Amino acid sequence: MTKAVITKKAQLVDEVAEKLTASVSTVVVDYRGLTVDEVTALRKQLRDAGVEMRVIKNSILRRAAEKANLEGLDEVFAGPTAVAFSNDDVVAPAKIMADFAKEAKALEIKGGIIEGGVVSVEEINALAKLPNREGLLSMLLSVLQAPVRNVAYAVKAVAEAKEEAA
């Protein structure tokens, strides 16, 4: 191997290690058996959610994981591997991959990394069942609005009672 190739691979390992460290959610999948149209549709869904998907050699992934101090991924990095990185939304990659895997049986979730910790397929699927960021914010807003709404109803009821009495 030439020095230029070795340097290029070392740079790729550094880049992937940085992505593994920087992302809040990383999902590893086996994409073998997907059609070109299915892969294109999956990439579009991920891109629309701000998630980057890349196909990376397992040897590069293993070295990058080692550099990022992530252990327990050796069996995950086997066979054809695609990796989805999200720097913003923890739920998005898991939700999109799990939903897509329901329709495209060829897509197999192998594992992932959530906020620096290695997680299993079961944990990825559990995460996929959570609402996305917008859904969680909507829930929070409704919880915060409930007390204000109740006070408004009480004030209105008191005002109506005083009007009837007068």
Side-chain angles (χ1 to χ4, degrees):
M1 242 191 279
T2 66
K3 209 171 213 171
V5 172
I6 293 171
T7 305
K8 189 173 180 180
K9 284 187 178 185
Q11 287 174 339
L12 183 57
V13 167
D14 291 343
E15 179 187 330
V16 173
E18 189 177 309
K19 283 186 180 296
L20 289 172
T21 306
S23 77
V24 293
S25 180
T26 303
V27 177
V28 181
V29 297
D30 180 345
Y31 63 93
R32 187 179 17 198
L34 291 179
T35 66
V36 173
D37 290 340
E38 287 172 329
V39 171
T40 303
L42 177 59
R43 283 183 183 271
K44 182 180 183 330
Q45 285 181 27
L46 290 167
R47 193 172 36 251
D48 290 347
V51 179
E52 177 189 0
M53 180 175 146
R54 290 182 59 187
V55 175
I56 304 170
K57 285 184 164 189
N58 291 322
S59 58
I60 301 289
L61 286 169
R62 282 190 200 99
R63 287 187 186 114
E66 186 179 313
K67 188 169 188 148
N69 296 319
L70 297 166
E71 296 177 6
L73 289 167
D74 285 345
E75 60 269 2
V76 174
F77 297 145
T81 304
V83 185
F85 302 99
S86 175
N87 292 345
D88 302 322
D89 192 344
V90 175
V91 178
K95 184 178 263 331
I96 292 168
M97 291 295 195
D99 289 346
F100 200 85
K102 288 176 189 169
E103 294 179 27
K105 300 294 183 201
L107 184 70
E108 178 190 341
I109 298 173
K110 300 197 290 187
I113 304 157
I114 306 297
E115 294 185 343
V118 176
V119 294
S120 68
V121 176
E122 293 78 23
E123 291 169 303
I124 297 279
N125 287 328
L127 183 65
K129 292 176 183 163
L130 293 175
N132 62 6
R133 187 173 191 274
E134 288 76 26
L136 289 171
L137 289 174
S138 172
M139 288 176 171
L140 177 63
L141 184 60
S142 67
V143 167
L144 293 175
Q145 284 180 336
V148 174
R149 194 175 323 122
N150 291 341
V151 169
Y153 287 141
V155 169
K156 183 179 176 188
V158 168
E160 288 174 355
K162 287 192 176 187
E163 280 181 16
E164 287 177 12

